[in-house]
Amino acid sequence: MIYQLIEKEYEMKTSINTLIKDYNDIINRAKEIFNNRTAEEINKKPSPKSWSAAECIEHLNTYAAAYLANTKILSPSATDIDRNKVYSPRFLPAKFIKAVGPDTKLKLKSIQIGSSYSSTIDISIIDQFIGHQKKFLEVLNQISFEDLKRIKVVSPFARLLKFQLGEMLLLTSYHQQRHLNQAERAINS
């Protein structure tokens, strides 16, 4: 009974096609949030200790670049047969993914981005962010369902942590959704 409750709590499912949709949604959402924005608007901080929208994107770019650098697809193996097959992360990674997701209320420590009271990041950071999303999509278009479990990705921030490729793709998707929400709040503040 307890095992069933724990199992239900962490249950998280996706597929390659769902992940492709998620990353395309992230691109569209970023374009929507940052369309026709000035550098001044994206660098505005809601408060001195809060990140600006540009700092949120810089943070996401740091993580995306690091995870993409650690992702090695040796031979593309994509097949149409298994693109909708359901993938679930392991128990502990699923908990971690939920902790960095868009619905969490947890405040987590991360790599320090904005330490000053002002933000002066160039608007080109948005194009870089969208470029990273397209690279995630390239990965997704090269893999098969088995690759989601078979390919291991070492965390660039904690070398002892190894994620399955599917876990890393879910982690970055959830993390990006969370900080896009934060960036939108910063712009609208």
Side-chain angles (χ1 to χ4, degrees):
M1 175 83 164
I2 297 274
Y3 176 74
Q4 288 174 334
L5 289 173
I6 291 171
E7 188 177 79
K8 287 283 184 210
E9 182 185 326
Y10 96 92
E11 195 170 287
M12 181 180 290
K13 296 178 180 175
T14 193
S15 69
I16 293 172
N17 282 341
T18 300
L19 287 165
I20 288 170
K21 180 190 175 307
D22 291 347
Y23 280 95
N24 278 313
D25 288 349
I26 289 168
I27 290 170
N28 292 332
R29 178 113 189 273
K31 287 178 178 178
E32 181 183 303
I33 293 169
F34 294 101
N35 186 35
N36 296 321
R37 299 290 182 179
T38 65
E40 183 179 307
E41 288 175 303
I42 70 166
N43 281 289
K44 179 183 74 171
K45 290 179 170 245
S47 71
K49 291 187 179 185
S50 298
W51 283 357
S52 67
E55 288 169 324
C56 293
I57 298 302
E58 184 174 44
H59 168 76
L60 292 175
N61 283 346
T62 300
Y63 276 77
Y67 276 108
L68 285 165
N70 283 1
T71 303
K72 305 292 182 244
I73 308 298
L74 299 176
S75 59
S77 57
T79 61
D80 289 338
I81 303 167
D82 58 7
R83 314 258 326 140
N84 287 314
K85 196 170 180 181
V86 175
Y87 168 81
S88 294
R90 297 168 295 168
F91 179 75
L92 287 177
K95 298 296 261 179
F96 184 66
I97 292 164
K98 280 192 176 186
V100 301
D103 299 327
T104 189
K105 301 295 182 218
L106 291 173
K107 292 267 187 183
L108 302 169
K109 288 285 183 192
S110 65
I111 295 172
Q112 186 66 30
I113 298 287
S115 58
S116 67
Y117 290 108
S118 65
S119 173
T120 56
I121 298 167
D122 189 78
I123 195 120
S124 65
I125 195 135
I126 309 309
D127 292 332
Q128 185 182 14
F129 175 75
I130 290 170
H132 288 308
Q133 305 322 299
K134 289 178 179 177
K135 287 179 185 170
F136 284 119
L137 286 168
E138 286 174 22
V139 167
L140 284 160
N141 284 311
Q142 293 178 29
I143 62 170
S144 69
F145 175 80
E146 292 306 316
D147 293 332
L148 292 174
K149 292 182 179 183
R150 183 182 57 80
I151 297 173
K152 304 298 184 235
V153 181
V154 175
S155 169
F157 307 104
R159 295 266 174 221
L160 295 176
L161 277 178
K162 285 187 182 176
F163 294 107
Q164 294 174 350
L165 178 61
E167 293 164 347
M168 181 278 291
L169 291 165
L170 268 171
L171 172 72
T172 54
S173 170
Y174 274 47
H175 186 231
Q176 292 176 116
Q177 291 173 45
R178 174 187 181 146
H179 286 295
L180 280 175
N181 291 344
Q182 182 182 0
E184 186 171 43
R185 287 191 306 271
I187 285 175
N188 293 330
S189 68

